[in-house]
Amino acid sequence: MPNVKLYTARLSPPGRAVELTAALLDLPLDIIPINLLAGDHRTAEFLKMNPQHTIPVIDDDGVIIRDSHAIIIYLVLKYGKDHGLYPDDPVTRARINAALHFDSGVLFSRLRFYFEPILYEGSSAMPQEKIEYMQKGYELLNDALLEDYIVGNTLTLADVSCIATVATMEEFFPMERSKYPKLVAWIDRVSRNFPQYDQLNQAGAVEFAEMCESLRVKNATKVVGAGWRRNVTFISSMASSSMVLYYDEVSPPVRSVLMAIAALGIKDRFKLEYVDLFRRGHLTSEFLKINPMHTIPVLQHGDLKLTDSHAILVYLCDMFAPEGHPLAIGDTQTRAKVLNRLCFNNGFLFQRDADVMRRIFSREITDVKQHLQPIAETVDALEQFLKESRYTALDRLSVADFSIVATLSTLNLLVPVTAERWPRVFEWFEEMQKLPYYSEQNSAGLEKMRKMLSITINL
């Protein structure tokens, strides 16, 4: 009987690919668990087997094979009753080899780029570019599926290797299944080849994603103010619960939240529910049950409901911007400065905006010129604030800037911000418009507002 030792972790997609292959070969394995977080892969004993300190590794009676892709080929060629999973035909093998490299160099590497900083560097970040890079892998694989399986119309090692990674990716960030019909059908088709698929692959994928998310939240734990520590149990449960944002991008407060979500890299965590303000969607009986104040945005996160954009902005930072994050507002003084500017926006800048917009759209006024002085005076105050710091609250970007720029950009439709009168506001406004997410998250709604205004008044 073979005595193949497999050094692996149930959480590891490459390790699960080896176990899936062994199951297809009816090959028993002597599994030796490796705890990566405990550093088992960096012990002197393990490094003798694999100086690269990666798993899986097999020891087949003294023959050491590293890398899952090399391992599964080795197992088929040595222990397979036939070579059906890795046929002898050089063309088919070349196509399988290409798919194995696709798994290694595209699918798994993109997943690894996301989770390694969480596991080993204490990160709690969810960079949107890494998430989108990972999700691009879904598109690439979906487009490559021209037959029932990755290579031809029978299961091969290409499918075994990729399914372990894709199942894990989807537990981290579920794909929008309607966009990838061929990929969804392939997942179902491949999984049916394994009587114990859930045990061999899916359970480990779920456990790995849950463990990474729990660790990411733990990494985000920090001391705020004078000895107040964030409640990790609460945050862990909240981080995994769904988030719903009721929005209409025409609203400046909504746009401020959309910018924060993009900056924090958490867009994929939100379900967006559109509320059409101009069609009075905020006054329907259904919406009034959600927010009796009939305002947007509204954030629902588990049992929590927040009905003010400024509270939402701070909450998102507390949840997803740990100490060291560019948007973190942890210490007492920083928090006070940010809250001070948020209150300026809420109590002065946005109120001037809301007052004049309400009267325009109710057709109470058609000539706005005589109503613009209070707005200009509020921008005067902002000019003084920006002489004290690079951004509105701090010398670095904060959510106060998102709140204020969403309002100011709307007021700019009525009272253009000029460098002559407001040089610091003008400079800051220019800098804000260069943010990579500004155009998508603020300009689109702003243009919608401009069109609606132009129907009522002359701009």
Side-chain angles (χ1 to χ4, degrees):
M1 289 291 292
N3 181 27
V4 180
K5 296 179 180 178
L6 172 63
Y7 295 81
T8 189
R10 165 184 163 93
L11 307 181
S12 163
R16 281 185 266 117
V18 174
E19 293 192 62
L20 289 169
T21 302
L24 291 171
L25 300 175
D26 291 323
L27 175 67
L29 297 172
D30 179 9
I31 295 179
I32 301 171
I34 298 295
N35 187 330
L36 297 175
L37 293 180
D40 292 355
H41 59 309
R42 293 185 179 274
T43 64
E45 182 182 1
F46 187 87
L47 290 173
K48 289 178 183 178
M49 285 193 304
N50 184 9
Q52 294 174 306
H53 55 76
T54 58
I55 57 170
V57 176
I58 64 166
D59 179 351
D60 185 12
D61 197 22
V63 176
I64 307 296
I65 308 291
R66 313 174 187 97
D67 185 274
S68 65
H69 308 89
I71 291 170
I72 60 179
I73 292 173
Y74 171 85
L75 293 179
V76 169
L77 296 182
K78 183 168 182 179
Y79 294 107
K81 296 173 183 175
D82 57 51
H83 294 168
L85 291 171
Y86 192 64
D88 295 330
D89 168 45
V91 174
T92 303
R93 282 197 177 178
R95 293 178 65 196
I96 293 172
N97 290 342
L100 295 179
H101 284 291
F102 175 76
D103 175 54
S104 176
V106 177
L107 296 178
F108 183 69
S109 66
R110 295 180 185 200
L111 176 63
R112 187 179 69 242
F113 292 154
Y114 175 80
F115 71 71
E116 278 192 342
I118 296 171
L119 292 185
Y120 305 122
E121 300 170 16
S123 173
S124 65
M126 299 175 62
Q128 185 63 26
E129 67 275 11
K130 288 189 178 182
I131 296 170
E132 292 173 355
Y133 197 46
M134 194 182 340
Q135 291 177 327
K136 179 69 174 177
Y138 294 146
E139 179 183 336
L140 294 172
L141 183 53
N142 183 78
D143 292 347
L145 284 165
L146 304 178
E147 301 164 286
D148 285 349
Y149 294 90
I150 294 177
V151 178
N153 291 309
T154 59
L155 188 78
T156 69
L157 291 180
D159 306 289
V160 177
S161 186
C162 289
I163 194 66
T165 305
V166 170
T168 310
M169 290 169 63
E170 201 178 12
E171 289 303 323
F172 275 86
F173 295 99
M175 71 179 76
E176 188 177 335
R177 292 197 154 212
S178 62
K179 292 175 61 176
Y180 311 110
K182 291 188 291 184
L183 181 54
V184 171
W186 171 80
I187 293 171
D188 182 60
R189 193 176 298 121
V190 173
S191 62
R192 289 200 303 265
N193 284 273
F194 301 91
Q196 296 178 300
Y197 177 81
D198 286 346
Q199 178 183 342
L200 291 172
N201 191 38
Q202 199 63 43
V206 172
E207 186 177 341
F208 185 37
E210 289 178 346
M211 184 270 287
C212 280
E213 177 60 13
S214 176
L215 185 59
R216 189 192 70 78
V217 172
K218 183 178 180 181
N219 292 342
T221 305
K222 60 183 178 180
V223 176
V224 179
W228 178 73
R229 182 171 294 277
R230 298 173 70 186
N231 187 317
V232 179
T233 302
F234 167 76
I235 293 174
S236 296
S237 63
M238 291 300 288
S240 62
S241 60
S242 63
M243 288 191 284
V244 180
L245 183 71
Y246 294 86
Y247 82 107
D248 182 340
E249 66 270 41
V250 75
S251 158
V254 166
R255 285 186 261 123
S256 71
V257 173
L258 292 175
M259 282 188 280
I261 289 170
L264 290 165
I266 54 175
K267 288 169 64 177
D268 281 20
R269 292 179 165 269
F270 279 83
K271 177 182 178 183
L272 298 179
E273 292 286 351
Y274 182 63
V275 179
D276 192 331
L277 291 177
F278 286 109
R279 293 190 176 182
R280 303 171 70 83
H282 59 306
L283 298 177
T284 63
S285 57
E286 292 82 3
F287 186 77
L288 289 173
K289 292 176 183 177
I290 297 167
N291 182 13
M293 295 189 294
H294 58 76
T295 58
I296 56 172
V298 175
L299 171 68
Q300 282 193 315
H301 191 186
D303 294 330
L304 177 68
K305 184 188 297 180
L306 296 176
T307 57
D308 178 87
S309 65
H310 308 87
I312 292 171
L313 291 170
V314 173
Y315 177 72
L316 293 178
C317 286
D318 284 345
M319 287 292 293
F320 300 106
E323 189 173 4
H325 190 284
L327 292 177
I329 52 173
D331 68 86
T332 304
Q333 191 172 81
T334 298
R335 181 168 292 258
K337 290 179 179 179
V338 171
L339 290 175
N340 195 32
R341 293 297 180 258
L342 289 173
C343 290
F344 164 74
N345 181 71
N346 190 26
F348 291 91
L349 197 62
F350 179 68
Q351 291 307 318
R352 304 287 169 90
D353 169 64
D355 178 63
V356 72
M357 292 297 178
R358 176 185 57 79
R359 290 195 281 169
I360 289 172
F361 288 117
S362 68
R363 301 189 184 276
E364 181 182 330
I365 57 174
T366 53
D367 183 2
V368 298
K369 292 181 181 178
Q370 59 183 320
H371 302 280
L372 299 182
Q373 185 58 30
I375 294 174
E377 290 174 354
T378 309
V379 181
D380 287 341
L382 181 60
E383 175 73 13
Q384 295 304 310
F385 293 149
L386 282 165
K387 289 179 179 179
E388 301 171 5
S389 56
R390 178 179 173 183
Y391 292 91
T392 57
L394 310 168
D395 285 324
R396 59 175 172 85
L397 189 70
S398 75
V399 289
D401 296 288
F402 299 148
S403 186
I404 291 173
V405 80
T407 305
L408 183 76
S409 60
T410 308
L411 293 173
N412 185 57
L413 298 173
L414 303 175
V415 183
V417 174
T418 64
E420 290 74 24
R421 178 164 179 176
W422 300 296
R424 278 294 294 121
V425 174
F426 183 86
E427 180 184 14
W428 166 81
F429 191 25
E430 291 275 292
E431 189 169 354
M432 293 297 294
Q433 292 176 73
K434 294 176 184 177
L435 292 173
Y437 38 80
Y438 179 91
S439 178
E440 180 181 357
Q441 307 304 332
N442 192 59
S443 296
L446 192 61
E447 176 61 16
K448 182 179 175 181
M449 171 63 85
R450 187 194 66 76
K451 289 179 179 178
M452 295 303 297
L453 278 173
S454 64
I455 296 172
T456 309
I457 62 173
N458 292 322
L459 290 179

